[in-house]
Amino acid sequence: MNMAAQGIAIVQAFEQDVLAGLAAPQKTLPCKYLYDEVGSRLFEEICTLQDYYLTRTEADIFAREIQAMAEAIGPQVTLIEPGAGNCEKAEPLLRAMLSPAGYFPLDISPEILLAARQRIQRRTPELPIRPVVGDFTSHSVWRELPEIPGRKVVFFPGSTIGNFTPEQALALLSLFAEQLRPGDGLLLAADLVKDSVVLERAYHDSSHVTEAFNKNLLRRINRELDGSFNLDAFAHRAFYHRLRRRVEMHLVSLESQAVEVCGRQFHFDEGETIHTENSHKYTLAALKELLRSTGFQPQQYWTDHQQHYAIYYAEAV
Ligand code: AVJ
């Protein structure tokens, strides 16, 4: 599929997913739709916040261990990055890697991908870069990648894996494994289980950027799907669910109200929520088990001194 056709397919999926999600008993919206242009910018802002420890903790681990990671990955490898966004994490890794063979960033936002390609291409003109626009959870996107002759490593940083339920995470890593041959690799980052106060502050930051990020989904529905959401009639909520080991993000209706989307009406009770995101937290043991059960042999991990965050290298078996 070319980029324009891919764009149309994504708009149709958005409409279907929103209408189905708002019709469900527990209203829900897939978190991947948080990342339109405004949402992606707000997310980048979240990453700079003191309360949001994830990004800087990951960056510290990368800064300290990038050489070791590049060694684990090995020479002449093609790096594939699902959900690459602005591709800023891959750049230093590609520079540390020994003669990388290519870089394939996958993302649903063509604007961000194309800007990133220009930037990386300017700095490393000899590296073949091929952005692929689409949803990395769908099999069809992976079929767009050409045959890659040498070794491949899937690079999945940012603890994006946290947005998937345990069942979805199994399916996703299995999908990654399907793209790989024995000896290929996966470099996977995950946020670790920790004190709930620290966790909740990260998703309910004092500068209210996460609130804006969450509510932007309603603004996007208003704009793209002819929605009538009143943003002031919803509040941002984020809490850690200890048993499910995840932070849940919701939008709470502050009153009994009706909202229209694509000409259809949806009723909200006062206090009723739309579940907009899960952010699952892992123990090192759970992470290892996840890798083992999806066709990988865990090799090595790197973490920070507080064990807030981990990056695992695993080999496809
Ligand atoms: C992009 C999945 C890493 O779950 O921490 C940040 C998204 N949501 N603040 C996360 C997010 C609210 C984020 N990830």
Side-chain angles (χ1 to χ4, degrees), residues 220-232:
R220 178 176 185 182
I221 294 171
N222 285 351
R223 191 180 58 240
E224 292 180 25
L225 302 179
D226 199 20
S228 70
F229 280 103
N230 170 9
L231 270 64
D232 296 327

Side-chain angles (χ1 to χ4, degrees), residues 151-194:
R151 283 186 63 239
K152 293 177 284 214
V153 169
V154 171
F155 179 45
F156 202 45
S159 72
T160 309
I161 192 69
N163 283 157
F164 298 81
T165 63
E167 305 74 54
Q168 294 168 334
L170 283 173
L172 184 66
L173 293 198
S174 302
L175 176 60
F176 291 174
E178 274 173 41
Q179 320 303 320
L180 302 173
R181 289 182 284 261
D184 286 350
L186 168 67
L187 192 61
L188 171 75
D191 194 24
L192 300 179
V193 166
K194 64 183 63 61

Side-chain angles (χ1 to χ4, degrees), residues 26-223:
Q26 165 63 67
K27 293 180 170 62
T28 173
L29 293 169
C31 64
K32 63 187 174 195
Y33 297 121
L34 290 163
Y35 301 88
D36 63 350
E37 232 183 302
V38 176
S40 297
R41 267 204 213 100
L42 286 167
F43 178 64
E44 283 179 25
E45 197 180 333
I46 288 172
C47 292
T48 68
L49 299 172
Q50 187 57 35
D51 290 335
Y52 194 73
Y53 62 87
L54 288 81
T55 311
R56 81 171 162 277
T57 308
E58 184 187 71
D60 289 347
I61 302 171
F62 274 126
R64 208 160 15 87
E65 308 285 7
I66 198 89
Q67 212 49 52
M69 291 177 190
E71 265 163 44
I73 288 172
Q76 275 143 20
V77 161
T78 299
L79 198 68
I80 304 173
E81 186 179 1
N86 63 20
C87 308
E88 264 170 10
K89 290 168 189 170
E91 261 201 274
L93 183 59
L94 286 160
R95 271 199 299 275
M97 282 163 60
L98 196 60
S99 39
Y103 177 49
F104 289 76
L106 274 55
D107 205 276
I108 48 173
S109 164
E111 298 86 8
I112 292 206
L113 267 186
L114 295 178
R117 176 173 62 182
Q118 276 194 1
R119 187 192 71 235
I120 301 176
Q121 206 71 91
R122 235 181 291 119
R123 294 180 197 164
T124 41
E126 64 293 345
L127 182 75
I129 304 173
R130 179 152 168 210
V132 179
V133 178
D135 177 351
F136 64 76
T137 62
S138 107
H139 284 68
S140 64
V141 173
W142 293 91
R143 283 196 289 270
E144 300 216 2
L145 292 176
E147 256 314 298
I148 296 167
R151 283 186 63 239
K152 293 177 284 214
V153 169
V154 171
F155 179 45
F156 202 45
S159 72
T160 309
I161 192 69
N163 283 157
F164 298 81
T165 63
E167 305 74 54
Q168 294 168 334
L170 283 173
L172 184 66
L173 293 198
S174 302
L175 176 60
F176 291 174
E178 274 173 41
Q179 320 303 320
L180 302 173
R181 289 182 284 261
D184 286 350
L186 168 67
L187 192 61
L188 171 75
D191 194 24
L192 300 179
V193 166
K194 64 183 63 61
D195 187 88
S196 63
V197 175
V198 177
L199 285 169
E200 286 178 357
R201 219 176 19 230
Y203 295 85
H204 210 134
D205 64 275
S206 55
S207 1
H208 304 284
V209 186
T210 310
E211 176 183 338
F213 174 66
N214 199 6
K215 284 192 174 187
N216 176 58
L217 191 47
L218 301 183
R219 192 171 287 145
R220 178 176 185 182
I221 294 171
N222 285 351
R223 191 180 58 240

